[in-house]
């Protein structure tokens, strides 16, 4: 099992550590509800250094990205980030990922931790034009500082003007005395904030500087458990739960990042699927009756006929009620439709609700 550069620090802070995507990761410190509330109302710091980072460089780098990405990376400009997915040849999803345009021949791809090797091999397979590829995952640390007070807490550490930074943009500069740091604003919590990409050897210094600067803002370390409840309140997909190699991107609601303005892997197949429509759709739902939905629980109609399955579910700390995501037959996907979750052989009532669950 791999460690991040901060594993010993997390242990010293009393974090509960768990295996996740091949890494020894902090799942919680003070407790899920407390950590969740901290991010929603103040500022919290996640060590997400398990994520993967690839540099693609060369005159044909954009062509390679256009081939493997569902989205149109030609729309990017220096300092702009784009969300998309890597389609496979069979109608499913290799991974969802971010593309950062550093300059016109240099791009940073950020991929999910569990898919680093798979994604690298997949992109390499399509690299027929000699694009320079570098996997910097093992040398790179990533901190996500999330919450409404993030900009105020961090501003003293950098000359980059944080408050006006637009969503899905980034800048490179000095941060906490370290040169050449990428500071981005993509977020996975819906609470606002920033991501800091820094070399492993500098991350402890940066972490300590962040906590010193954030002391007056109620800053706390946050584990993966609260990251999951926060992203679920926003209805954000998690690879391996809500999308995977067998998931239709149109069923998953990813049509908005599927751009047929260029050719890409399986674009013809996906175009046909878009025209024909899908039989199932990923929906959000709130529980009406008591019960917590969990991954792979059956979703049924009023008569108990199986119409789908839960992909993610939790007790929402913000709403004080249970919420989830799941695939259902298209006829049941309309907002307001009553559905039932099979929890320990009990039919528990829920209602389809369009995410985000909190505004």
């Amino acid at each position: 099992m791999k460690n991040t550069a901060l594993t010993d620090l997390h242990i010293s802070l009393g974090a509960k550590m768990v295996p996740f995507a091949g890494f020894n990761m902090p799942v919680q410190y003070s407790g899920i509800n407390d950590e969740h509330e901290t991010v929603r109302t103040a500022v919290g710091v996640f060590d997400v250094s398990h994520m993967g980072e690839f540099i693609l460089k060369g005159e044909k780098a954009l062509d390679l990205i256009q081939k493997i990405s569902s989205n149109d990376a030609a729309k990017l400009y220096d300092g702009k980030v784009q969300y998309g997915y890597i389609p496979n040849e069979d109608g499913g999803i290799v991974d969802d990922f971010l593309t950062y345009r550093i300059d016109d021949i240099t791009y940073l791809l950020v991929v999910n931790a569990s898919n680093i090797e798979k994604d690298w091999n997949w992109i390499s397979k399509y690299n027929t034009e000699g694009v320079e590829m570098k996997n910097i995952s093992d040398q790179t640390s990533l901190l996500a500082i999330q919450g409404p007070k993030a900009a105020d807490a961090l501003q003293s550490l950098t000359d980059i003007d944080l408050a006006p930074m637009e969503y899905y943009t980034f800048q490179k500069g000095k941060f906490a005395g370290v040169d050449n740091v990428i500071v981005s604003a993509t977020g996975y919590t819906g609470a606002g904030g920033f991501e800091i990409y820094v070399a492993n050897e500098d991350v402890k210094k940066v972490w300590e500087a962040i906590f010193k600067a954030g002391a007056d803002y109620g800053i706390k370390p946050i584990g993966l458990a609260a990251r999951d409840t926060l992203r679920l309140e926003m209805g954000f997909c998690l690879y391996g739960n809500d999308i995977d190699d067998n998931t239709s991107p149109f069923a998953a609601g990813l049509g908005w990042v599927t751009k047929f303005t260029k050719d890409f892997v399986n674009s013809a197949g996906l175009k046909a699927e878009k025209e024909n429509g899908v039989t199932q759709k990923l929906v959000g739902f709130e529980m009406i009756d008591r019960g917590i939905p969990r991954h792979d629980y059956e979703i049924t109609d009023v008569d108990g006929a199986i119409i789908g399955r839960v992909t993610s579910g939790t007790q929402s700390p913000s709403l004080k009620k249970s919420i989830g995501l799941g695939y259902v037959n298209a006829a049941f996907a309309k907002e307001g439709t009553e559905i039932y979750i099979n929890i320990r052989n009990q039919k528990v009532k829920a209602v389809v609700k369009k995410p985000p669950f909190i505004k």
Side-chain angles (χ1 to χ4, degrees), residues 113-128:
S114 55
N115 292 334
I116 292 171
E117 185 179 358
K118 179 176 78 163
D119 292 357
W120 178 264
N121 292 339
W122 183 267
I123 297 167
S124 298
K125 182 171 82 167
Y126 289 97
N127 184 15
T128 56

Side-chain angles (χ1 to χ4, degrees), residues 3 29 33 51 74 99 145 151 153 162 169 185 232-233 241 256 319 331:
N3 291 321
Y29 301 83
N33 290 346
M51 298 290 282
T99 303
I145 299 91
L162 297 175
T169 65
L232 196 44
E233 287 183 347
N241 276 46
W256 66 284
L319 297 171

Side-chain angles (χ1 to χ4, degrees), residues 77-109:
Y77 50 83
D78 295 359
K80 181 64 177 166
V81 190
Q82 185 179 78
Y83 176 74
Y85 63 89
I86 303 172
N88 65 24
E89 290 153 354
D90 307 310
I93 300 169
V94 177
D95 201 4
D96 62 337
F97 75 116
L98 299 176
T99 303
Y100 285 60
R101 176 169 148 151
I102 311 290
D103 57 47
D104 62 346
I105 63 165
T106 314
Y107 296 82
L108 168 70
L109 307 188

Side-chain angles (χ1 to χ4, degrees), residues 53-234:
E53 295 88 13
F54 307 152
I55 297 286
L56 271 54
K57 190 168 186 174
E59 298 297 333
K60 298 286 188 177
L62 176 59
D63 291 345
L64 176 56
I65 293 166
Q66 292 288 68
K67 186 73 178 169
I68 61 98
S69 175
S70 65
N71 211 333
D72 188 355
K75 297 281 201 303
L76 290 170
Y77 50 83
D78 295 359
K80 181 64 177 166
V81 190
Q82 185 179 78
Y83 176 74
Y85 63 89
I86 303 172
N88 65 24
E89 290 153 354
D90 307 310
I93 300 169
V94 177
D95 201 4
D96 62 337
F97 75 116
L98 299 176
T99 303
Y100 285 60
R101 176 169 148 151
I102 311 290
D103 57 47
D104 62 346
I105 63 165
T106 314
Y107 296 82
L108 168 70
L109 307 188
V110 182
V111 304
N112 284 299
S114 55
N115 292 334
I116 292 171
E117 185 179 358
K118 179 176 78 163
D119 292 357
W120 178 264
N121 292 339
W122 183 267
I123 297 167
S124 298
K125 182 171 82 167
Y126 289 97
N127 184 15
T128 56
E129 300 284 346
V131 174
E132 181 187 335
M133 291 176 56
K134 194 172 181 185
N135 183 354
I136 60 167
S137 307
D138 287 344
Q139 294 90 54
T140 307
S141 290
L142 174 56
L143 302 178
I145 299 91
Q146 296 283 293
K149 297 181 181 176
D152 290 341
L154 299 180
Q155 189 58 73
S156 66
L157 300 175
T158 183
D159 291 335
I160 297 169
D161 198 358
L162 297 175
M165 190 181 283
E166 292 181 9
Y167 196 43
Y168 271 71
T169 65
F170 72 96
Q171 292 183 47
K172 286 178 90 170
K174 184 173 272 195
F175 186 91
V178 179
D179 288 322
N180 213 27
V181 173
I182 288 177
V183 180
S184 68
T186 62
Y188 192 53
T189 65
F194 305 92
E195 299 77 46
I196 311 293
Y197 294 84
V198 63
N200 286 349
E201 55 265 29
D202 295 317
V203 70
K204 191 172 183 196
K205 172 186 174 181
V206 169
W207 173 282
E208 289 170 350
I210 287 169
F211 274 84
K212 189 174 179 183
D216 292 338
Y217 299 91
I219 198 166
K220 291 180 183 178
I222 313 294
L224 290 178
R227 186 171 170 82
D228 196 50
T229 56
L230 288 156
R231 68 95 191 169
L232 196 44
E233 287 183 347
M234 299 308 296

Side-chain angles (χ1 to χ4, degrees), residues 17-69:
M17 307 295 288
V18 297
F20 181 80
F23 286 79
N24 188 21
M25 297 295 290
V27 68
Q28 65 181 55
Y29 301 83
S30 57
I32 297 172
N33 290 346
D34 180 62
E35 292 169 37
H36 183 108
E37 179 72 8
T38 295
V39 174
R40 283 276 176 255
T41 60
V43 57
V45 183
F46 303 83
D47 176 13
V48 283
S49 304
H50 59 316
M51 298 290 282
E53 295 88 13
F54 307 152
I55 297 286
L56 271 54
K57 190 168 186 174
E59 298 297 333
K60 298 286 188 177
L62 176 59
D63 291 345
L64 176 56
I65 293 166
Q66 292 288 68
K67 186 73 178 169
I68 61 98
S69 175

